[in-house]
Amino acid sequence: MLFLSCVLSLDSICLYSEFQREGDYLIGGLFNIHQANSSFHHYRPEVIDCSSAPFILSSYRRFQLMRFSVEEISNSTKLLPNVSLGYEIFDHCTDTVSFPGPLNLISVNGLIRPLEEPHRNLSKVIAVVGTYTSPQAQAVAPLFMMDLIPMVSYGAASSIFSRKQNYPSFMRTVHPNKDVIEVIFSILTEFNWKWVAFLYVDDSYGIDGLQLFLKKIKDTDICLAYNKALDHYSDYKAIFKQINAQNVNVIIVFAPEWTVEELMNSVKQINVTNKVWIAGDAWSLSQKIKDQIQGIKNVGTVLGVAEPNMTIPGFSEFIYSFKAQTHCENAKQQKFCNQICNCGSLTAEEIIDADPSFSFPVYSAVYSIAHALHNILQCGADRCKDNITVYPYMVLTELRKSNFTLLNQTIQFDQNGDPMFGSYAIVFWDQDGSVHEVGFYNFHGSFDFSINRSKIRWQTGQVPTSVCSKECEVGYKKTQDGNYKCCFNCTICPSGTYINTTEDPYSCINCNNTQWSEEGSTSCSLRVVEYTPFTDIWALGIMVGAFILVFISLALSVLFALNYNTPVVKSAGGPMCFLILGCLSLSSLSVFFYFGEPTVAFCILRYLPFLLFFTVCLACFVVRSFQIVCIFKIAAQIPKLHSWWMKYHGQWLFITVAFVTQAIFLLINYIYAPPSSKMDIYWNPKKIILGCDIDFKAALISLVLPLLFCFLCFVFSYMGKDLPKNYNEAKAITFCLLLLILTWIIFATGSILYQGKYIQPLQSLAVLSSLYSFLLWYFFPKCYIIIFQPHKNTHRYFQNLIQSYTKTISQ
């Protein structure tokens, strides 16, 4: 019954009331001058007596600002000449049961018939300014959406109102929550705060803020350590106990001022100290909360996001004039319920000095409606047309096209009905109760953000920190500890890797093959490319040794040619000596290709001459060993073999077959697995050693003959171990083979222990040493006899040796 009486009552009309103003066109207003607690219980359907709820001075100031705006427009001769605007305002103090006001605004002659044909009857208002909070707007907006009555909110910031399919006639002059969250995120980033708590009012406004914040910090290095919804039953002691337990120093409070008042009362009782409080725009300029905090010792530092403080010209004069007049205060004189203020005791100064937040949104909301009406009525310089019927949907259409200047701001709306004007100020609450603008954030035009740190006086004396884990030192990667990415352990990056904290602070990146790094590096350095150049002292020495070998071979060939018919030359192999010396010289060509930058051609020529011609040398020594044994032992025991060998020149046939076979083996090897240049990146992490890559499995075919010939040489040499001392070629060959094997054992051992750039000179030295072992220990003793002991180089001397050996064998 009380509900119906409030909606339908038409008692005595007050001659002058703050809540009504007659006019040609009415604008509705919904302001929460009082804020009732929504946690009460009902035993029967009833409305709230708003005047008995706690008074909100800042909302009352906004209420007066709407009155001022309407009267200023009505008194204007430019915007709506010869047209008067009126208003019908209600104290919308709760979002649950305070419906008389909105129902009255959409009623026609006291009746509400939402299912009637459109435009059959006209609502008394062309648009509505309000509400202040998102829950209030969400509760009453559907009532206005049905007939497309424009609802221009000055405070409802929830994201849901940007959905035009749900709220087609909803507009707002306040920035949506995502913009406030954007500014808060910029503040956190500016001061490198990564470990934060988020306290929010438990309604659509607060929940939307939390969801937007979580979305914003996703994939960033900011972590939400703790979040909690606040309501009338919140256990603040448990909340701050958890915040302190998690060592959170930055607390974001996303709630209206009356919720924050309860929060700060608990802060005072619990003695929460040295925190950074980041205030949303709903309470960042609240004088009552500032007074509360002044009474709390060491509460910390308060930074807030607020609408820039804009002076509305003429508003102060309007308030002084209004307070000088007499208006209705008696409830019995009111036209409608929830139009009672009971605030006659307020002074003009108290109203003017109240929290100025959302002043310009209220001012611009009224002017937006007025400009829309101006366009519909086709107003000129001195009058507007009076024969045009104005429907709310027409006002909505013009509102969407708004484009006018108000206090140096270009008023426009985007396709979602959100404002395309305005900015935010970043404010700092000083300990003396004053508020200073220390930064700004511009949304439209240039997206600028700036904070003047020098204007902020931190309670701790320096910028507070709020992190779960201290930042890792340079060269360390983060290893996440638990579910929060802000909580981590630090692990140094090993050598061969580096870390780029701007790209990925959680991974050590491997250097590529041409780079190296020390442990704990932030970048890689290029490796030094090393090989043995021709100008290296080792290279020069070995190449000189190769030239000397060729020269000695040539000199020996001349000496043997001059003494060709002597027994020493014949016993050394006769014409075979020249083949051996030539092959030794040709084998030395390999030495020259171990120096300089390795190429495919160089890698082939390192092994081809040596393996081919040294195999021929070994074949010659196999033949020579066999012939020595054959002359002294096999000829007598197996005369047919000796005669066949002599008849068909077995030695030359054997050498030719060996040469051709080895050439075929090498050809097969180089076709299927040719040597190639390679980079050794494993031996020294700071260097790249250039060398040749050989497929050793494929190369085994090329080593079959040399190894076989070495084995045969040892066999034949063993068979001739008891030959005459001065004519024992087998012993000389055996000694040369031992030197050859020792040389390559030394090289193999060295290559296991060392893989630097000098492994190539070492290998070329092994090749040269192999050649010298036969040149020196096989040919030099014969040269010595030829030059220094000519008496031993006679047929008689050799015949005596053979006869003496024959007699010994026969005995």
Side-chain angles (χ1 to χ4, degrees):
M1 295 298 295
L2 179 58
F3 177 80
L4 295 175
S5 66
C6 283
V7 174
L8 302 177
S9 174
L10 293 174
D11 293 337
S12 59
I13 299 175
C14 178
L15 297 177
Y16 178 75
S17 171
E18 298 177 70
F19 292 89
Q20 297 99 25
R21 185 182 193 276
E22 298 297 328
D24 298 326
Y25 299 95
L26 291 183
I27 299 176
L30 297 173
F31 290 82
N32 57 332
I33 299 172
H34 300 82
Q35 183 62 35
N37 187 350
S38 59
S39 62
F40 52 80
H41 299 281
H42 302 282
Y43 296 100
R44 61 177 182 172
E46 58 182 345
V47 297
I48 300 299
D49 179 12
C50 288
S51 61
S52 62
F55 176 71
I56 309 298
L57 179 58
S58 59
S59 289
Y60 182 69
R61 186 183 190 276
R62 290 186 280 270
F63 160 77
Q64 293 295 345
L65 192 55
M66 177 179 173
R67 295 182 59 245
F68 162 73
S69 303
V70 172
E71 294 192 18
E72 185 180 54
I73 293 169
S74 295
N75 296 330
S76 170
T77 59
K78 294 182 179 180
L79 185 55
L80 290 172
N82 80 300
V83 173
S84 64
L85 276 183
Y87 53 75
E88 183 85 11
I89 305 176
F90 293 90
D91 185 2
H92 195 73
C93 61
T94 177
D95 60 333
T96 54
V97 293
S98 187
F99 286 94
L103 292 174
N104 182 275
L105 292 176
I106 65 173
S107 66
V108 180
N109 297 324
L111 299 175
I112 299 173
R113 296 179 182 176
L115 298 180
E116 273 194 321
E117 296 179 8
H119 315 312
R120 182 173 178 178
N121 293 305
L122 292 179
S123 170
K124 66 176 72 174
V125 297
I126 59 171
V128 177
V129 175
T131 62
Y132 175 57
T133 69
S134 294
Q136 291 171 349
Q138 201 168 357
V140 302
L143 300 175
F144 301 105
M145 301 300 110
M146 290 186 297
D147 291 328
L148 293 182
I149 299 175
M151 182 176 179
V152 186
S153 176
Y154 54 88
S158 179
S159 301
I160 193 173
F161 299 116
S162 296
R163 304 174 188 171
K164 293 300 100 179
Q165 65 271 28
N166 296 334
Y167 300 93
S169 63
F170 188 93
M171 312 281 285
R172 55 183 161 193
T173 52
V174 64
H175 285 278
N177 281 339
K178 66 180 181 66
D179 292 343
V180 180
I181 293 299
E182 183 71 35
V183 182
I184 292 174
F185 177 80
S186 299
I187 295 173
L188 297 178
T189 305
E190 173 72 18
F191 295 107
N192 202 31
W193 292 324
K194 300 178 180 180
W195 191 237
V196 300
F198 194 98
L199 304 181
Y200 59 98
V201 62
D202 191 13
D203 60 24
S204 58
Y205 167 73
I207 295 171
D208 180 62
L210 175 66
Q211 292 173 345
L212 290 169
F213 183 72
L214 289 172
K215 183 178 179 180
K216 184 64 182 178
I217 65 173
K218 185 181 180 182
D219 300 326
T220 70
D221 56 357
I222 296 175
C223 295
L224 181 58
Y226 179 78
N227 69 86
K228 186 66 176 178
L230 305 179
D231 55 29
H232 186 65
Y233 303 103
S234 293
D235 185 352
Y236 291 104
K237 186 175 182 180
I239 290 173
F240 287 106
K241 182 179 180 180
Q242 184 65 28
I243 289 175
N244 289 328
Q246 294 188 245
N247 197 29
V248 180
N249 294 326
V250 175
I251 304 173
I252 302 166
V253 182
F254 208 78
E257 56 184 293
W258 46 87
T259 302
V260 180
E261 288 174 14
E262 293 184 21
L263 171 68
M264 289 304 168
N265 283 330
S266 299
V267 167
K268 186 174 182 179
Q269 296 172 6
I270 301 170
N271 194 27
V272 179
T273 60
N274 296 329
K275 302 294 183 184
V276 175
W277 304 85
I278 299 182
D281 57 345
W283 67 277
S284 57
L285 298 179
S286 172
Q287 184 63 48
K288 189 172 182 180
I289 298 175
K290 281 188 290 181
D291 294 339
Q292 276 184 292
I293 288 181
Q294 277 188 284
I296 305 175
K297 185 179 180 182
N298 298 328
V299 68
T301 305
V302 178
L303 296 175
V305 180
E307 298 254 353
N309 190 6
M310 297 180 63
T311 301
I312 308 296
F315 177 62
S316 297
E317 291 78 4
F318 170 79
I319 295 298
Y320 281 114
S321 174
F322 158 70
K323 294 303 294 182
Q325 299 175 7
T326 303
H327 52 277
C328 292
E329 283 293 338
N330 192 335
K332 293 182 179 180
Q333 293 179 307
Q334 294 301 321
K335 177 182 178 181
F336 203 79
C337 59
N338 288 344
Q339 289 185 320
I340 307 168
C341 180
N342 292 335
C343 48
S345 60
L346 287 174
T347 65
E349 289 76 11
E350 288 178 310
I351 299 172
I352 294 170
D353 294 338
D355 180 359
S357 298
F358 305 98
S359 295
F360 186 74
V362 173
Y363 192 61
S364 57
V366 176
Y367 265 88
S368 297
I369 297 170
H371 274 273
L373 186 60
H374 174 94
N375 294 334
I376 295 170
L377 298 177
Q378 302 175 18
C379 297
D382 55 353
R383 67 181 293 106
C384 300
K385 293 184 178 181
D386 55 6
N387 59 347
I388 298 176
T389 301
V390 179
Y391 294 101
Y393 77 89
M394 299 167 64
V395 179
L396 175 63
T397 301
E398 293 299 326
L399 270 173
R400 291 172 176 170
K401 298 187 291 186
S402 295
N403 189 356
F404 63 93
T405 301
L406 183 67
L407 300 184
N408 298 321
Q409 296 274 349
T410 301
I411 308 301
Q412 291 179 309
F413 298 94
D414 63 16
Q415 61 184 2
N416 298 320
D418 296 332
M420 296 176 61
F421 56 90
S423 61
Y424 272 117
I426 294 129
V427 297
F428 160 66
W429 290 13
D430 208 340
Q431 295 179 7
D432 60 5
S434 59
V435 178
H436 306 283
E437 288 193 12
V438 296
F440 62 88
Y441 195 110
N442 291 327
F443 293 102
H444 303 282
S446 58
F447 288 80
D448 295 327
F449 170 74
S450 177
I451 290 182
N452 188 345
R453 294 187 175 210
S454 62
K455 290 184 177 181
I456 303 175
R457 293 192 298 173
W458 306 101
Q459 188 163 9
T460 56
Q462 58 184 358
V463 179
T465 60
S466 187
V467 294
C468 179
S469 301
K470 290 185 177 180
E471 283 298 317
C472 294
E473 297 179 9
V474 175
Y476 285 75
K477 73 170 182 178
K478 298 176 181 178
T479 303
Q480 188 169 323
D481 182 15
N483 295 326
Y484 294 104
K485 59 180 177 292
C486 296
C487 303
F488 49 81
N489 298 315
C490 297
T491 307
I492 193 167
C493 287
S495 58
T497 65
Y498 72 98
I499 187 166
N500 187 339
T501 53
T502 58
E503 291 184 1
D504 184 5
Y506 295 92
S507 301
C508 297
I509 306 170
N510 291 323
C511 298
N512 61 40
N513 291 340
T514 61
Q515 297 176 326
W516 69 278
S517 67
E518 296 283 1
E519 186 180 61
S521 296
T522 57
S523 63
C524 294
S525 303
L526 287 175
R527 291 188 179 193
V528 177
V529 179
E530 285 193 346
Y531 58 88
T532 306
F534 286 100
T535 56
D536 187 85
I537 186 66
W538 282 93
L540 292 174
I542 292 171
M543 287 188 293
V544 169
F547 281 118
I548 292 174
L549 184 140
V550 173
F551 176 77
I552 293 175
S553 299
L554 182 60
L556 289 177
S557 298
V558 172
L559 179 62
F560 281 22
L562 295 176
N563 297 274
Y564 184 74
N565 293 319
T566 61
V568 171
V569 174
K570 290 182 179 180
S571 67
M576 198 177 294
C577 293
F578 301 103
L579 178 60
I580 294 173
L581 291 171
C583 287
L584 290 176
S585 298
L586 291 173
S587 296
S588 67
L589 291 175
S590 295
V591 170
F592 296 94
F593 297 100
Y594 281 93
F595 312 111
E597 185 175 355
T599 62
V600 175
F602 269 46
C603 290
I604 291 175
L605 293 174
R606 280 185 183 185
Y607 305 105
L608 180 60
F610 178 70
L611 290 174
L612 181 60
F613 295 110
F614 194 69
T615 300
V616 175
C617 288
L618 291 175
C620 291
F621 286 114
V622 169
V623 169
R624 186 63 192 139
S625 301
F626 176 75
Q627 285 179 330
I628 294 171
V629 174
C630 183
I631 291 171
F632 287 95
K633 294 187 176 183
I634 299 179
Q637 298 177 9
I638 314 176
K640 289 184 180 181
L641 178 60
H642 180 262
S643 63
W644 182 90
W645 182 267
M646 297 302 295
K647 179 180 179 180
Y648 292 103
H649 303 285
Q651 67 275 23
W652 298 111
L653 182 62
F654 181 82
I655 293 171
T656 302
V657 171
F659 174 78
V660 173
T661 303
Q662 181 67 347
I664 292 173
F665 285 169
L666 288 171
L667 183 62
I668 294 172
N669 180 18
Y670 291 156
I671 288 176
Y672 290 101
S676 60
S677 59
K678 73 167 184 177
M679 296 188 302
D680 186 350
I681 60 175
Y682 302 106
W683 170 252
N684 191 319
K686 299 181 182 180
K687 298 177 181 179
I688 296 176
I689 310 300
L690 297 184
C692 292
D693 188 21
I694 301 173
D695 188 340
F696 287 101
K697 292 182 179 179
L700 287 176
I701 192 173
S702 304
L703 299 176
V704 170
L705 287 182
L707 294 174
L708 177 62
F709 292 162
C710 287
F711 175 74
L712 292 176
C713 283
F714 273 113
V715 171
F716 294 137
S717 298
Y718 180 78
M719 293 173 65
K721 66 181 183 299
D722 55 348
L723 294 178
K725 181 178 180 180
N726 293 330
Y727 189 63
N728 197 342
E729 303 295 338
K731 290 183 179 180
I733 294 172
T734 301
F735 186 72
C736 292
L737 289 172
L738 290 174
L739 289 178
L740 174 67
I741 294 170
L742 181 62
T743 297
W744 288 102
I745 289 175
I746 293 173
F747 168 73
T749 305
S751 63
I752 293 173
L753 301 176
Y754 174 76
Q755 289 291 330
K757 71 173 184 176
Y758 288 110
I759 194 66
Q760 299 169 43
L762 182 62
Q763 188 173 2
S764 65
L765 186 62
V767 170
L768 195 61
S769 177
S770 301
L771 302 178
Y772 267 108
S773 64
F774 287 98
L775 182 67
L776 297 179
W777 301 108
Y778 184 78
F779 289 102
F780 267 37
K782 295 166 179 52
C783 294
Y784 180 80
I785 293 173
I786 293 172
I787 297 173
F788 298 105
Q789 294 180 341
H791 64 279
K792 294 183 179 180
N793 191 17
T794 61
H795 292 285
R796 184 182 297 275
Y797 182 79
F798 271 79
Q799 287 175 355
N800 291 335
L801 288 174
I802 294 172
Q803 290 174 1
S804 176
Y805 177 76
T806 304
K807 290 179 181 179
T808 303
I809 294 299
S810 63
Q811 292 177 355

